mmCIF file of all heavy atoms in Angstrom:
data_model
loop_
_atom_site.group_PDB
_atom_site.id
_atom_site.type_symbol
_atom_site.label_atom_id
_atom_site.label_comp_id
_atom_site.label_asym_id
_atom_site.label_seq_id
_atom_site.Cartn_x
_atom_site.Cartn_y
_atom_site.Cartn_z
ATOM 1 N N TRP A 1 0.819 -1.212 0.000
ATOM 2 C CA TRP A 1 0.000 0.000 0.000
ATOM 3 C C TRP A 1 0.855 1.265 0.000
ATOM 4 O O TRP A 1 0.511 2.266 -0.634
ATOM 5 C CB TRP A 1 -0.915 -0.026 1.221
ATOM 6 C CG TRP A 1 -1.886 1.106 1.305
ATOM 7 C CD1 TRP A 1 -1.792 2.221 2.083
ATOM 8 C CD2 TRP A 1 -3.120 1.242 0.582
ATOM 9 N NE1 TRP A 1 -2.887 3.039 1.908
ATOM 10 C CE2 TRP A 1 -3.717 2.451 0.989
ATOM 11 C CE3 TRP A 1 -3.779 0.441 -0.350
ATOM 12 C CZ2 TRP A 1 -4.942 2.893 0.488
ATOM 13 C CZ3 TRP A 1 -5.005 0.876 -0.850
ATOM 14 C CH2 TRP A 1 -5.563 2.085 -0.440
ATOM 15 N N ASP A 2 2.007 1.220 0.696
ATOM 16 C CA ASP A 2 2.859 2.412 0.791
ATOM 17 C C ASP A 2 3.842 2.527 -0.372
ATOM 18 O O ASP A 2 4.689 3.429 -0.384
ATOM 19 C CB ASP A 2 3.614 2.434 2.122
ATOM 20 C CG ASP A 2 4.596 1.268 2.275
ATOM 21 O OD1 ASP A 2 4.661 0.404 1.371
ATOM 22 O OD2 ASP A 2 5.311 1.227 3.297
ATOM 23 N N GLY A 3 3.759 1.633 -1.342
ATOM 24 C CA GLY A 3 4.623 1.711 -2.515
ATOM 25 C C GLY A 3 5.972 1.046 -2.371
ATOM 26 O O GLY A 3 6.804 1.131 -3.281
ATOM 27 N N SER A 4 6.216 0.353 -1.257
ATOM 28 C CA SER A 4 7.526 -0.239 -1.011
ATOM 29 C C SER A 4 7.642 -1.682 -1.495
ATOM 30 O O SER A 4 8.654 -2.335 -1.247
ATOM 31 C CB SER A 4 7.852 -0.182 0.491
ATOM 32 O OG SER A 4 6.956 -0.992 1.241
ATOM 33 N N GLY A 5 6.624 -2.174 -2.183
ATOM 34 C CA GLY A 5 6.655 -3.562 -2.634
ATOM 35 C C GLY A 5 7.291 -3.728 -3.999
ATOM 36 O O GLY A 5 7.930 -2.831 -4.539
ATOM 37 N N TYR A 6 7.095 -4.911 -4.578
ATOM 38 C CA TYR A 6 7.647 -5.222 -5.894
ATOM 39 C C TYR A 6 6.620 -6.024 -6.690
ATOM 40 O O TYR A 6 5.658 -6.533 -6.117
ATOM 41 C CB TYR A 6 8.987 -5.984 -5.748
ATOM 42 C CG TYR A 6 8.898 -7.367 -5.131
ATOM 43 C CD1 TYR A 6 8.669 -8.506 -5.908
ATOM 44 C CD2 TYR A 6 9.065 -7.554 -3.751
ATOM 45 C CE1 TYR A 6 8.589 -9.771 -5.350
ATOM 46 C CE2 TYR A 6 8.995 -8.822 -3.185
ATOM 47 C CZ TYR A 6 8.757 -9.928 -3.986
ATOM 48 O OH TYR A 6 8.681 -11.178 -3.422
ATOM 49 N N PRO A 7 6.750 -6.105 -8.019
ATOM 50 C CA PRO A 7 7.892 -5.712 -8.859
ATOM 51 C C PRO A 7 7.866 -4.263 -9.352
ATOM 52 O O PRO A 7 8.881 -3.779 -9.858
ATOM 53 C CB PRO A 7 7.779 -6.657 -10.042
ATOM 54 C CG PRO A 7 6.306 -6.881 -10.193
ATOM 55 C CD PRO A 7 5.767 -6.907 -8.785
ATOM 56 N N HIS A 8 6.742 -3.561 -9.244
ATOM 57 C CA HIS A 8 6.641 -2.248 -9.873
ATOM 58 C C HIS A 8 6.486 -1.089 -8.891
ATOM 59 O O HIS A 8 6.324 0.056 -9.308
ATOM 60 C CB HIS A 8 5.476 -2.233 -10.870
ATOM 61 C CG HIS A 8 5.616 -3.235 -11.965
ATOM 62 N ND1 HIS A 8 6.678 -3.243 -12.838
ATOM 63 C CD2 HIS A 8 4.828 -4.289 -12.314
ATOM 64 C CE1 HIS A 8 6.541 -4.250 -13.696
ATOM 65 N NE2 HIS A 8 5.436 -4.894 -13.395
ATOM 66 N N GLY A 9 6.520 -1.373 -7.600
ATOM 67 C CA GLY A 9 6.380 -0.296 -6.622
ATOM 68 C C GLY A 9 5.037 0.394 -6.693
ATOM 69 O O GLY A 9 4.931 1.599 -6.421
ATOM 70 N N LEU A 10 3.982 -0.350 -7.022
ATOM 71 C CA LEU A 10 2.643 0.232 -7.060
ATOM 72 C C LEU A 10 2.214 0.613 -5.645
ATOM 73 O O LEU A 10 2.653 0.011 -4.663
ATOM 74 C CB LEU A 10 1.641 -0.761 -7.650
ATOM 75 C CG LEU A 10 1.903 -1.259 -9.069
ATOM 76 C CD1 LEU A 10 0.822 -2.258 -9.477
ATOM 77 C CD2 LEU A 10 1.967 -0.103 -10.053
ATOM 78 N N ALA A 11 1.329 1.588 -5.557
ATOM 79 C CA ALA A 11 0.867 2.036 -4.245
ATOM 80 C C ALA A 11 -0.643 2.220 -4.252
ATOM 81 O O ALA A 11 -1.255 2.486 -5.289
ATOM 82 C CB ALA A 11 1.545 3.358 -3.856
ATOM 83 N N ALA A 12 -1.227 2.068 -3.066
ATOM 84 C CA ALA A 12 -2.637 2.362 -2.815
ATOM 85 C C ALA A 12 -3.551 1.700 -3.858
ATOM 86 O O ALA A 12 -3.391 0.519 -4.160
ATOM 87 C CB ALA A 12 -2.838 3.872 -2.743
ATOM 88 N N MET A 13 -4.490 2.488 -4.414
ATOM 89 C CA MET A 13 -5.515 1.930 -5.286
ATOM 90 C C MET A 13 -4.987 1.502 -6.651
ATOM 91 O O MET A 13 -5.714 0.903 -7.438
ATOM 92 C CB MET A 13 -6.649 2.939 -5.462
ATOM 93 C CG MET A 13 -7.319 3.353 -4.167
ATOM 94 S SD MET A 13 -8.077 1.952 -3.279
ATOM 95 C CE MET A 13 -9.503 1.663 -4.329
ATOM 96 N N ALA A 14 -3.716 1.804 -6.935
ATOM 97 C CA ALA A 14 -3.118 1.312 -8.177
ATOM 98 C C ALA A 14 -2.918 -0.195 -8.126
ATOM 99 O O ALA A 14 -2.751 -0.843 -9.165
ATOM 100 C CB ALA A 14 -1.783 2.001 -8.445
ATOM 101 N N ILE A 15 -2.943 -0.763 -6.925
ATOM 102 C CA ILE A 15 -2.838 -2.214 -6.754
ATOM 103 C C ILE A 15 -4.244 -2.801 -6.842
ATOM 104 O O ILE A 15 -5.130 -2.378 -6.094
ATOM 105 C CB ILE A 15 -2.223 -2.572 -5.390
ATOM 106 C CG1 ILE A 15 -0.904 -1.817 -5.176
ATOM 107 C CG2 ILE A 15 -2.013 -4.075 -5.277
ATOM 108 C CD1 ILE A 15 -0.396 -1.896 -3.741
ATOM 109 N N PRO A 16 -4.501 -3.749 -7.725
ATOM 110 C CA PRO A 16 -5.842 -4.345 -7.805
ATOM 111 C C PRO A 16 -6.255 -4.933 -6.458
ATOM 112 O O PRO A 16 -5.403 -5.416 -5.691
ATOM 113 C CB PRO A 16 -5.676 -5.445 -8.858
ATOM 114 C CG PRO A 16 -4.491 -5.041 -9.659
ATOM 115 C CD PRO A 16 -3.571 -4.327 -8.705
ATOM 116 N N ILE A 17 -7.537 -4.893 -6.169
ATOM 117 C CA ILE A 17 -8.001 -5.347 -4.860
ATOM 118 C C ILE A 17 -7.653 -6.805 -4.616
ATOM 119 O O ILE A 17 -7.340 -7.213 -3.491
ATOM 120 C CB ILE A 17 -9.513 -5.096 -4.683
ATOM 121 C CG1 ILE A 17 -9.908 -5.381 -3.223
ATOM 122 C CG2 ILE A 17 -10.334 -5.918 -5.685
ATOM 123 C CD1 ILE A 17 -11.307 -4.942 -2.869
ATOM 124 N N GLU A 18 -7.662 -7.625 -5.676
ATOM 125 C CA GLU A 18 -7.319 -9.032 -5.499
ATOM 126 C C GLU A 18 -5.885 -9.177 -4.991
ATOM 127 O O GLU A 18 -5.604 -10.000 -4.123
ATOM 128 C CB GLU A 18 -7.486 -9.795 -6.815
ATOM 129 C CG GLU A 18 -8.905 -9.881 -7.327
ATOM 130 C CD GLU A 18 -9.357 -8.669 -8.131
ATOM 131 O OE1 GLU A 18 -8.524 -7.744 -8.323
ATOM 132 O OE2 GLU A 18 -10.520 -8.642 -8.569
ATOM 133 N N GLY A 19 -4.976 -8.362 -5.536
ATOM 134 C CA GLY A 19 -3.599 -8.396 -5.073
ATOM 135 C C GLY A 19 -3.464 -7.934 -3.640
ATOM 136 O O GLY A 19 -2.679 -8.483 -2.846
ATOM 137 N N ARG A 20 -4.239 -6.904 -3.257
ATOM 138 C CA ARG A 20 -4.189 -6.394 -1.887
ATOM 139 C C ARG A 20 -4.702 -7.427 -0.883
ATOM 140 O O ARG A 20 -4.163 -7.583 0.214
ATOM 141 C CB ARG A 20 -5.017 -5.110 -1.787
ATOM 142 C CG ARG A 20 -4.336 -3.892 -2.401
ATOM 143 C CD ARG A 20 -5.221 -2.658 -2.300
ATOM 144 N NE ARG A 20 -6.053 -2.491 -3.484
ATOM 145 C CZ ARG A 20 -7.294 -2.030 -3.496
ATOM 146 N NH1 ARG A 20 -7.893 -1.701 -2.363
ATOM 147 N NH2 ARG A 20 -7.953 -1.885 -4.628
ATOM 148 N N LEU A 21 -5.753 -8.140 -1.263
ATOM 149 C CA LEU A 21 -6.301 -9.168 -0.379
ATOM 150 C C LEU A 21 -5.331 -10.327 -0.215
ATOM 151 O O LEU A 21 -5.091 -10.804 0.904
ATOM 152 C CB LEU A 21 -7.630 -9.683 -0.944
ATOM 153 C CG LEU A 21 -8.805 -8.717 -0.955
ATOM 154 C CD1 LEU A 21 -9.979 -9.320 -1.717
ATOM 155 C CD2 LEU A 21 -9.234 -8.349 0.463
ATOM 156 N N VAL A 22 -4.778 -10.798 -1.329
ATOM 157 C CA VAL A 22 -3.859 -11.935 -1.273
ATOM 158 C C VAL A 22 -2.601 -11.560 -0.505
ATOM 159 O O VAL A 22 -2.051 -12.366 0.252
ATOM 160 C CB VAL A 22 -3.528 -12.439 -2.691
ATOM 161 C CG1 VAL A 22 -2.379 -13.451 -2.663
ATOM 162 C CG2 VAL A 22 -4.765 -13.081 -3.324
ATOM 163 N N MET A 23 -2.133 -10.322 -0.666
ATOM 164 C CA MET A 23 -0.933 -9.887 0.033
ATOM 165 C C MET A 23 -1.106 -10.036 1.545
ATOM 166 O O MET A 23 -0.238 -10.577 2.240
ATOM 167 C CB MET A 23 -0.633 -8.428 -0.343
ATOM 168 C CG MET A 23 0.749 -7.951 0.080
ATOM 169 S SD MET A 23 0.730 -7.207 1.721
ATOM 170 C CE MET A 23 2.389 -6.532 1.761
ATOM 171 N N LEU A 24 -2.237 -9.588 2.084
ATOM 172 C CA LEU A 24 -2.447 -9.680 3.524
ATOM 173 C C LEU A 24 -2.670 -11.131 3.958
ATOM 174 O O LEU A 24 -2.080 -11.584 4.949
ATOM 175 C CB LEU A 24 -3.630 -8.807 3.949
ATOM 176 C CG LEU A 24 -3.749 -8.585 5.474
ATOM 177 C CD1 LEU A 24 -4.416 -7.241 5.766
ATOM 178 C CD2 LEU A 24 -4.537 -9.695 6.162
ATOM 179 N N ALA A 25 -3.500 -11.869 3.212
ATOM 180 C CA ALA A 25 -3.774 -13.257 3.574
ATOM 181 C C ALA A 25 -2.507 -14.099 3.532
ATOM 182 O O ALA A 25 -2.264 -14.945 4.403
ATOM 183 C CB ALA A 25 -4.831 -13.832 2.633
ATOM 184 N N ASP A 26 -1.678 -13.868 2.527
ATOM 185 C CA ASP A 26 -0.432 -14.611 2.372
ATOM 186 C C ASP A 26 0.532 -14.295 3.512
ATOM 187 O O ASP A 26 1.227 -15.175 4.032
ATOM 188 C CB ASP A 26 0.193 -14.257 1.023
ATOM 189 C CG ASP A 26 1.263 -15.241 0.588
ATOM 190 O OD1 ASP A 26 1.167 -16.436 0.947
ATOM 191 O OD2 ASP A 26 2.177 -14.829 -0.132
ATOM 192 N N GLN A 27 0.570 -13.034 3.921
ATOM 193 C CA GLN A 27 1.454 -12.640 5.022
ATOM 194 C C GLN A 27 0.982 -13.266 6.330
ATOM 195 O O GLN A 27 1.800 -13.727 7.129
ATOM 196 C CB GLN A 27 1.492 -11.118 5.139
ATOM 197 C CG GLN A 27 2.570 -10.600 6.064
ATOM 198 C CD GLN A 27 3.969 -10.729 5.465
ATOM 199 O OE1 GLN A 27 4.129 -11.159 4.331
ATOM 200 N NE2 GLN A 27 4.966 -10.381 6.237
ATOM 201 N N TYR A 28 -0.322 -13.267 6.564
ATOM 202 C CA TYR A 28 -0.855 -13.916 7.762
ATOM 203 C C TYR A 28 -0.437 -15.377 7.798
ATOM 204 O O TYR A 28 0.070 -15.881 8.806
ATOM 205 C CB TYR A 28 -2.384 -13.802 7.796
ATOM 206 C CG TYR A 28 -3.008 -14.618 8.909
ATOM 207 C CD1 TYR A 28 -3.105 -14.106 10.203
ATOM 208 C CD2 TYR A 28 -3.480 -15.910 8.659
ATOM 209 C CE1 TYR A 28 -3.660 -14.863 11.226
ATOM 210 C CE2 TYR A 28 -4.033 -16.678 9.679
ATOM 211 C CZ TYR A 28 -4.118 -16.154 10.964
ATOM 212 O OH TYR A 28 -4.651 -16.910 11.984
ATOM 213 N N ASP A 29 -0.633 -16.079 6.682
ATOM 214 C CA ASP A 29 -0.333 -17.505 6.639
ATOM 215 C C ASP A 29 1.160 -17.764 6.806
ATOM 216 O O ASP A 29 1.568 -18.715 7.481
ATOM 217 C CB ASP A 29 -0.828 -18.099 5.320
ATOM 218 C CG ASP A 29 -1.029 -19.596 5.410
ATOM 219 O OD1 ASP A 29 -2.089 -20.019 5.925
ATOM 220 O OD2 ASP A 29 -0.126 -20.347 4.980
ATOM 221 N N ALA A 30 1.996 -16.912 6.198
ATOM 222 C CA ALA A 30 3.439 -17.093 6.297
ATOM 223 C C ALA A 30 3.929 -16.902 7.732
ATOM 224 O O ALA A 30 4.788 -17.643 8.210
ATOM 225 C CB ALA A 30 4.147 -16.109 5.370
ATOM 226 N N LEU A 31 3.390 -15.915 8.431
ATOM 227 C CA LEU A 31 3.797 -15.677 9.806
ATOM 228 C C LEU A 31 3.397 -16.832 10.719
ATOM 229 O O LEU A 31 4.138 -17.194 11.644
ATOM 230 C CB LEU A 31 3.182 -14.364 10.321
ATOM 231 C CG LEU A 31 3.768 -13.076 9.729
ATOM 232 C CD1 LEU A 31 2.890 -11.879 10.078
ATOM 233 C CD2 LEU A 31 5.198 -12.853 10.210
ATOM 234 N N ARG A 32 2.279 -17.425 10.459
ATOM 235 C CA ARG A 32 1.805 -18.525 11.301
ATOM 236 C C ARG A 32 2.486 -19.847 10.990
ATOM 237 O O ARG A 32 2.452 -20.770 11.813
ATOM 238 C CB ARG A 32 0.291 -18.681 11.147
ATOM 239 C CG ARG A 32 -0.501 -17.526 11.703
ATOM 240 C CD ARG A 32 -1.781 -17.991 12.352
ATOM 241 N NE ARG A 32 -1.516 -18.945 13.426
ATOM 242 C CZ ARG A 32 -2.481 -19.671 14.008
ATOM 243 N NH1 ARG A 32 -3.728 -19.560 13.609
ATOM 244 N NH2 ARG A 32 -2.193 -20.506 14.980
ATOM 245 N N SER A 33 3.102 -19.955 9.824
ATOM 246 C CA SER A 33 3.657 -21.235 9.380
ATOM 247 C C SER A 33 5.095 -21.432 9.828
ATOM 248 O O SER A 33 5.853 -20.468 9.956
ATOM 249 C CB SER A 33 3.594 -21.315 7.849
ATOM 250 O OG SER A 33 2.263 -21.235 7.388
ATOM 251 N N PRO A 34 5.501 -22.677 10.080
ATOM 252 C CA PRO A 34 6.899 -22.948 10.446
ATOM 253 C C PRO A 34 7.832 -22.709 9.274
ATOM 254 O O PRO A 34 7.464 -22.896 8.120
ATOM 255 C CB PRO A 34 6.872 -24.433 10.837
ATOM 256 C CG PRO A 34 5.696 -24.996 10.104
ATOM 257 C CD PRO A 34 4.685 -23.903 10.034
ATOM 258 N N ARG A 35 9.032 -22.260 9.568
ATOM 259 C CA ARG A 35 10.055 -22.017 8.567
ATOM 260 C C ARG A 35 11.359 -22.661 9.033
ATOM 261 O O ARG A 35 11.520 -22.961 10.214
ATOM 262 C CB ARG A 35 10.296 -20.500 8.379
ATOM 263 C CG ARG A 35 9.114 -19.748 7.828
ATOM 264 C CD ARG A 35 8.909 -20.103 6.364
ATOM 265 N NE ARG A 35 7.895 -19.253 5.766
ATOM 266 C CZ ARG A 35 6.613 -19.579 5.696
ATOM 267 N NH1 ARG A 35 6.200 -20.702 6.226
ATOM 268 N NH2 ARG A 35 5.757 -18.769 5.098
ATOM 269 N N SER A 36 12.277 -22.812 8.106
ATOM 270 C CA SER A 36 13.577 -23.366 8.475
ATOM 271 C C SER A 36 14.315 -22.435 9.430
ATOM 272 O O SER A 36 15.175 -22.863 10.188
ATOM 273 C CB SER A 36 14.418 -23.600 7.211
ATOM 274 O OG SER A 36 14.620 -22.377 6.515
ATOM 275 N N TYR A 37 13.977 -21.144 9.416
ATOM 276 C CA TYR A 37 14.672 -20.166 10.228
ATOM 277 C C TYR A 37 13.827 -19.613 11.376
ATOM 278 O O TYR A 37 14.254 -18.706 12.098
ATOM 279 C CB TYR A 37 15.141 -18.989 9.369
ATOM 280 C CG TYR A 37 14.040 -18.350 8.538
ATOM 281 C CD1 TYR A 37 13.221 -17.364 9.076
ATOM 282 C CD2 TYR A 37 13.811 -18.767 7.236
ATOM 283 C CE1 TYR A 37 12.206 -16.794 8.336
ATOM 284 C CE2 TYR A 37 12.797 -18.199 6.482
ATOM 285 C CZ TYR A 37 12.001 -17.219 7.030
ATOM 286 O OH TYR A 37 10.986 -16.674 6.284
ATOM 287 N N LYS A 38 12.610 -20.147 11.559
ATOM 288 C CA LYS A 38 11.772 -19.640 12.660
ATOM 289 C C LYS A 38 10.718 -20.663 13.052
ATOM 290 O O LYS A 38 10.352 -21.546 12.270
ATOM 291 C CB LYS A 38 11.070 -18.328 12.265
ATOM 292 C CG LYS A 38 9.895 -18.513 11.332
ATOM 293 C CD LYS A 38 9.116 -17.224 11.175
ATOM 294 C CE LYS A 38 7.859 -17.439 10.341
ATOM 295 N NZ LYS A 38 6.832 -18.237 11.052
ATOM 296 N N GLU A 39 10.235 -20.540 14.260
ATOM 297 C CA GLU A 39 9.111 -21.331 14.729
ATOM 298 C C GLU A 39 7.809 -20.676 14.261
ATOM 299 O O GLU A 39 7.770 -19.471 14.003
ATOM 300 C CB GLU A 39 9.123 -21.410 16.262
ATOM 301 C CG GLU A 39 10.303 -22.165 16.840
ATOM 302 C CD GLU A 39 10.296 -23.621 16.415
ATOM 303 O OE1 GLU A 39 9.210 -24.233 16.414
ATOM 304 O OE2 GLU A 39 11.376 -24.151 16.093
ATOM 305 N N PRO A 40 6.736 -21.451 14.148
ATOM 306 C CA PRO A 40 5.454 -20.836 13.780
ATOM 307 C C PRO A 40 4.974 -19.908 14.883
ATOM 308 O O PRO A 40 5.203 -20.138 16.067
ATOM 309 C CB PRO A 40 4.512 -22.044 13.631
ATOM 310 C CG PRO A 40 5.138 -23.109 14.471
ATOM 311 C CD PRO A 40 6.625 -22.906 14.360
ATOM 312 N N LEU A 41 4.317 -18.827 14.474
ATOM 313 C CA LEU A 41 3.780 -17.870 15.438
ATOM 314 C C LEU A 41 2.318 -18.192 15.735
ATOM 315 O O LEU A 41 1.597 -18.729 14.890
ATOM 316 C CB LEU A 41 3.891 -16.451 14.888
ATOM 317 C CG LEU A 41 5.300 -15.951 14.560
ATOM 318 C CD1 LEU A 41 5.230 -14.516 14.039
ATOM 319 C CD2 LEU A 41 6.216 -16.043 15.771
ATOM 320 N N SER A 42 1.888 -17.823 16.917
ATOM 321 C CA SER A 42 0.484 -17.998 17.269
ATOM 322 C C SER A 42 -0.377 -16.983 16.523
ATOM 323 O O SER A 42 0.139 -16.012 15.952
ATOM 324 C CB SER A 42 0.294 -17.807 18.771
ATOM 325 O OG SER A 42 0.493 -16.439 19.119
#
């Protein structure tokens, strides 16, 4: 949303809503999931 992402540095409403939804859902799932470098978060 703040333009700091990739690949094109899009910001705010320039990002399609589907991308904005998946970005948050994907981040939630990644934080909760176990990784080789971290334990899963509650």
Side-chain angles (χ1 to χ4, degrees):
W1 184 258
D2 64 357
S4 65
Y6 66 88
H8 300 300
L10 301 179
M13 301 300 287
I15 308 168
I17 189 170
E18 295 84 2
R20 285 179 268 144
L21 292 172
V22 170
M23 192 269 189
L24 193 151
D26 196 30
Q27 191 73 3
Y28 172 84
D29 201 81
L31 289 168
R32 293 217 58 191
S33 299
R35 295 289 188 267
S36 60
Y37 53 85
K38 76 170 185 70
E39 294 297 318
L41 300 181
S42 70

